Amino acid sequence: MTNIKNRIDELTKILNDANYNYYVLANSIITDQEYDKYLRELEELEEKYPEYSFEDSPTKRVGGEVIDSFKKVYHEKPMLSLSDVFSESEVISFDERIKKEGINPQYVCELKIDGLSVSLLYKEGILVRAATRGDGVVGEDITHNAKTIKSIPLSLKEKIDIEVRGEIFMSKETLEKLNRERIKNNEKPLQNTRNAAAGSIRQLDSKIAAKRSLDSYIYHLPNPEDYGIKTHMEALDFMKNLGFKTNPNNRLVNNINEVLEFISEKTDTRDKLPYDIDGIVIKVNSFEYQNKLGFTAKYPKWATAYKFPAEEVLTKLRDIIFTVGRTGQITPNAVLDPVIVMGSTISRATLHNEDYVIEKDLHIGDIVSIRKAGDVIPEVVEVKKDRRTGLEKKFVMIDKCPICNSKLVKKGDQVDYYCINDHCPSRKIEGLIHFASRDAMNIDGLGDKIVEDFFNFGFIKEVSDIYLLQSHREDLTRLEGYGDKKITNLIEAIEKSKENSLEKLLFGLGISHVGSKTAKILASNYHNMDNLINASFDSLNSIRDIGDIIAESVVDYFKDERNINIINKLKSFGLNMEYLGKKIIQNSFFSGKTFVLTGSLILYSREKGKEIIESLGGKTSESVSKKTDYVIVGDNPGKKYEKALELGINILTEREFQEKIENN
Ligand code: IVH
């Protein structure tokens, strides 16, 4: 038996080493065939003798682990993001602000990888947890997927406890391959490497993440003092020596001029990199200086991100067409000769409203410049008037709905025109799309095109018809482009949506002025649909954040018989009509106690802190009195802290507060 154990040990080491050489150092030490042969041997042995398999076995990398949902993870030190600067002069001001503190630092310049940040936690050298950033304080556990990323070590070269942070990303080549595959399968290509990486990491089934060949660069050590490390550059080396992949482009420089040189060099060569970057990160090298500079509420003051300017591209404005939104609002849209901007093809851009088009003086046939920055939707920046030939056509606003031909109206002194025909097909389709959308009923697979098709085929006329789709199953699978699998998944997603909490349904119904936030306020106040249907104007209006306009709109909506009919149908199909939001936890440390927060908190924003206390059954107050049970104290606390000391009220540091939360 010990022979078998030794062989498993040996194979694990050989394969991990080969993996490290290949994926971290870009160096092959064994052939693919050898690798596969050893891996198969190891798999077979592990299957027979699972008791001998190691935590860091490379067989764990192929994926297979499927989770039900993402567990929440608290970050001991919050995962902050960086302040942005957009020009050379802003980079210089960043340096000047630091110099004002009496510091003349060396900087480390790094590429700002366009992926998503990750925290990796190792215990005795073994990867035990990987988490996304989330809101910086609470992220999601993605260990099952992180293990499939070959450049993330499953075990380190030293058996130490450590947390490191970095970026998970997808290379340009992997995205191209993936998109070729998707197009072949009639799926929509993914827009960019960041979305593709984020989508892969958010899979419950790690086999999918494994197939996506994600990669990583590690760039941050949150607790360098634990290892006696004094500078960021040393931290990068330290992490590299533990087996992490660090970026060879990282550069230590002596002054801001050298930072500017790095920026200009990388601006010129970024297209040649195998992965996307959206800027340059500049970090003060010395940790002593970093500590001296500290943080603002959101960002470290010792680092910043220079963002590359948004790319502008010229193209022709072919036409201006009009779309009708769910509320009947008419939007002019630019139809453009397709151009690639920042990696995605743009052929449409919103022109918002008539005034916008007039202000930009757009004529059909004009050459216009288009800009797209990161995730931001594309916009028309300006017309190149010097390129006009005289053949361009003046823009004329329409006065009839382009879909149902009914007369458009302006509401009050608003700039927008509306189609007010409740039966306008375009409004109905948009309303259905809205109902199925992510923040509403979140019915995966019921996107724009399919809704439009199903509406036109007569399968769905109103939202309740969505829940009857299963009875058309046969007909649906016969339609071109809607195979059995697609329809099965869709019907499953529709079934699942029945369990949604009330606020999702309320938002989905598309009541005027009820956005997703208001829907949540209504759901949490009235608990179920019937209470809300019977709520009076005064009752609604008495809720904080619900003013006259919303209250009136809600009352009007439920007065309309047609709406009640739809709700009754939805009820009969088994849709949940209750608010399932956070149940207040009884019997926690916080239950029944009153807390005051003071000083600047780093781990939690004030709002977040209060929300957590309330969700755990506590109360919060703005002022300290004898009734206060605890005062939670951040940096530079003021009068409230003094008063608490005076009254002998219990004090919690932010760290102690965090412990209490975690122990609940
Ligand atoms: S340092 C406290 N370094 O950019 C330091 N971030 O807006 C935190 N990013 O959330 C980040 N490359 O996802 C750092 N070399 C790099 C980076 C980098 C990409 C991302 C990261 C972060 C965001 C900051």
Side-chain angles (χ1 to χ4, degrees), residues 112 152 265 292 307 375 416 475 544 553 596 655:
K112 187 165 185 299
I152 293 183
E265 186 184 315
K292 197 164 163 194
K307 290 285 203 65
D375 270 348
D416 295 306
D475 301 326
R544 223 181 97 187
S553 167
V596 174
R655 180 64 69 141

Side-chain angles (χ1 to χ4, degrees), residues 441-443 466-470 488-500 573-576:
M441 294 302 271
N442 190 20
I443 305 177
I466 293 172
Y467 295 92
L468 291 172
L469 273 179
Q470 50 184 329
T488 305
N489 289 344
L490 175 62
I491 287 173
E492 255 174 43
I494 292 173
E495 275 305 297
K496 205 171 125 222
S497 76
K498 290 183 177 174
E499 292 159 21
N500 284 337
F573 296 145
L575 268 78
N576 169 56

Side-chain angles (χ1 to χ4, degrees), residues 21-173:
N21 268 279
Y22 189 78
Y23 289 102
V24 179
L25 305 179
N27 174 22
S28 291
I29 54 169
I30 59 176
T31 64
D32 288 359
Q33 286 81 355
E34 280 172 308
Y35 188 93
D36 288 344
K37 194 182 86 197
Y38 289 142
L39 187 65
R40 234 171 299 124
E41 184 185 344
L42 181 60
E43 272 167 355
E44 276 162 24
L45 287 175
E46 282 183 349
E47 194 163 339
K48 276 201 214 134
Y49 307 96
E51 66 276 25
Y52 293 151
S53 95
F54 288 91
E55 279 289 344
D56 62 341
S57 168
T59 58
K60 300 219 157 76
R61 293 214 183 263
V62 293
E65 194 184 337
V66 182
I67 59 168
D68 297 333
S69 62
F70 291 98
K71 264 196 310 206
K72 295 261 176 281
V73 166
Y74 277 98
H75 297 298
E76 279 235 6
K77 281 209 172 156
M79 286 181 81
L80 300 175
S81 60
L82 297 171
S83 57
D84 290 326
V85 296
F86 296 91
S87 64
E88 232 181 58
S89 65
E90 282 181 291
V91 174
I92 293 170
S93 314
F94 165 72
D95 180 56
E96 281 168 355
R97 273 199 304 279
I98 290 174
K99 292 227 173 84
K100 258 203 202 126
E101 303 290 322
I103 294 169
N104 187 8
Q106 285 189 309
Y107 292 106
V108 178
C109 297
E110 297 175 11
L111 304 182
K112 187 165 185 299
I113 317 285
D114 208 3
L116 61 142
S117 42
V118 66
S119 145
L120 303 173
L121 197 65
Y122 292 77
K123 288 261 175 304
E124 296 180 12
I126 299 287
L127 175 65
V128 291
R129 192 197 76 189
T132 60
R133 173 171 181 274
D135 63 5
V137 176
V138 182
E140 287 179 330
D141 191 320
I142 49 154
T143 317
H144 66 305
N145 287 334
K147 279 184 182 165
T148 68
I149 301 174
K150 307 276 201 344
S151 58
I152 293 183
L154 298 177
S155 58
L156 304 178
K157 295 189 194 285
E158 276 180 57
K159 291 199 163 72
I160 55 169
D161 292 353
I162 193 169
E163 184 195 352
V164 300
R165 295 178 183 172
E167 202 83 352
I168 290 177
F169 64 94
M170 184 181 280
S171 74
K172 295 179 192 169
E173 194 188 333

